[in-house]
Amino acid sequence: CPRIFIKRDDYTGTGFGSNKLRKLDYAIAFELEKGTKTILTIAGEKSNHARVTAAVCAKFGLRCILVLNRAEKDLIPDGLICASRYLYELFGAEIHWVDSREEREPKALEILEKLQSSGQKAAYIPLGVSVPLGALGFVNAINEVKTQFDGLGTQPNYIFHAGTSGGTQAGIIAGCQLFGWEKTEVVAVSPDDSAKEISHRVAQITDGIYHLLGKSNLTISPSDITVLDEFIGAGYGIETEEARRATCLLAKTEGIILDFIYTAKAMAALLDWIEKETLTATDNILFWHTGGQLAWFYAKRPNGEKG
């Protein structure tokens, strides 16, 4: 078995944490500097991104508008709502519901146009803050984690994480390139989209990072990006048997909780590579825990309210 390290971004603070906070560090700072008063973004009903964006907006006194598609009804127990949705409302976010993922962005941009045409200072942040500016958060994260590894006198051969919107992987790849980890392979494990779709998004965002940083000599091709899409199972947000085993193993051996939507599927992929001996005892692996444990929890509305 390889030596496995875990980067705990489930501990990063505001809004119960997650990798999204690193990206919002840059995106929200940029909007505050411009005088933006309203932030719009999109996500699914159980989203880490929506929850953390709502929390950060509350912290900085910004109006937050979320355009969300509902989770499948049979995935949420009767009479309850998902914990993240309860928190969106607790943080004061305004929610607009749509029927599908495809409707989210057009609806958000429609609302944005109305706000801006009325003279309001509003801005749209894409899903997962997966734009070059947001991805800079993970360029900086590699600088942070490299310092930690330097103290151990080693570095990872592989970095595994769950990824779909592309910003996390793009930032990690760019960070590895810029901070001397060029030989480290960054492996994203998809919870929904195809490897082809994600790798193209990651390449675009990574090139955008290089442009922002004035590194025009650097570029990347989708063919150079590793994304695994064979661990999705029956679909987004649906637990797989491999993910369940990964969750139980980590809980029983390390006291660490994964979530069934993202991190458990990423850990399932890592364990699969160990079992197939793609990874060996000579490898150092960094597993990036991107948060999301609240997906396991549900809430009851006060006084039996419905909505």
Side-chain angles (χ1 to χ4, degrees), residues 45-46 70 72-73 75-83 85-86 296-301 304-307:
E45 186 169 353
K46 293 185 175 183
R70 296 183 188 276
E72 295 293 331
K73 289 183 179 179
L75 298 180
I76 299 178
D78 288 343
L80 300 177
I81 58 173
C82 64
R85 178 179 167 186
Y86 179 83
W296 289 110
F297 299 95
Y298 299 91
K300 199 169 185 177
R301 283 182 172 279
E305 296 173 11
K306 296 181 179 179

Side-chain angles (χ1 to χ4, degrees), residues 37-288:
K37 301 299 182 184
T38 299
I39 298 292
L40 294 92
T41 195
I42 62 174
E45 186 169 353
K46 293 185 175 183
S47 169
N48 288 329
H49 166 62
R51 183 186 71 251
V52 176
T53 301
V56 171
C57 285
K59 181 175 181 178
F60 289 102
L62 299 170
R63 179 186 179 190
C64 180
I65 299 176
L66 306 175
V67 178
L68 311 176
N69 63 293
R70 296 183 188 276
E72 295 293 331
K73 289 183 179 179
D74 59 356
L75 298 180
I76 299 178
D78 288 343
L80 300 177
I81 58 173
C82 64
S84 284
R85 178 179 167 186
Y86 179 83
L87 290 174
Y88 309 150
E89 298 174 5
L90 195 62
F91 293 139
E94 302 168 34
I95 302 176
H96 294 256
W97 295 101
V98 293
D99 294 327
S100 68
R101 298 172 72 186
E102 293 72 24
E103 296 174 75
R104 296 182 308 203
E105 188 166 65
K107 182 64 175 178
L109 295 177
E110 176 190 321
I111 297 169
L112 178 66
E113 184 178 0
K114 289 179 180 177
L115 291 172
Q116 291 179 337
S117 63
S118 67
Q120 297 187 51
K121 294 183 178 180
Y124 170 65
I125 292 179
L127 178 67
V129 208
S130 288
V131 292
L133 180 65
L136 285 177
F138 270 88
V139 175
N140 190 48
I142 289 298
N143 188 31
E144 172 189 317
V145 81
K146 183 179 183 297
T147 301
Q148 295 172 323
F149 270 93
D150 286 348
L152 299 171
T154 188
Q155 69 181 65
N157 306 89
Y158 297 87
I159 298 175
F160 272 74
H161 69 96
T164 180
S165 58
T168 297
Q169 188 174 20
I172 292 174
I173 288 171
C176 287
Q177 183 71 33
L178 293 166
F179 292 111
W181 280 3
E182 299 93 339
K183 294 182 179 179
T184 298
E185 183 172 356
V186 183
V187 182
V189 182
S190 172
D192 50 13
D193 292 340
S194 71
K196 182 178 180 180
E197 290 177 89
I198 295 173
S199 61
H200 276 82
R201 279 199 292 269
V202 172
Q204 290 177 341
I205 298 169
T206 306
D207 283 340
I209 293 169
Y210 293 147
H211 177 74
L212 277 178
L213 296 177
K215 301 290 184 179
S216 57
N217 59 312
L218 299 177
T219 187
I220 191 167
S221 166
S223 61
D224 297 325
I225 295 166
T226 305
V227 180
L228 308 180
D229 58 10
E230 59 265 41
F231 297 90
I232 296 171
Y236 179 79
I238 301 174
E239 187 181 18
T240 64
E241 179 59 27
E242 295 81 6
R244 188 194 68 79
R245 288 201 302 267
T247 299
C248 291
L249 178 65
L250 228 64
K252 290 177 180 178
T253 59
E254 298 291 340
I256 294 173
I257 303 301
L258 302 172
D259 78 293
F260 59 89
I261 299 175
Y262 296 100
T263 52
K265 291 182 179 181
M267 180 56 72
L270 171 54
L271 296 175
D272 179 72
W273 276 31
I274 293 172
E275 290 166 1
K276 290 178 178 176
E277 298 184 351
T278 304
L279 304 174
T280 69
T282 61
D283 289 317
N284 288 317
I285 314 301
L286 174 60
F287 180 82
W288 210 296

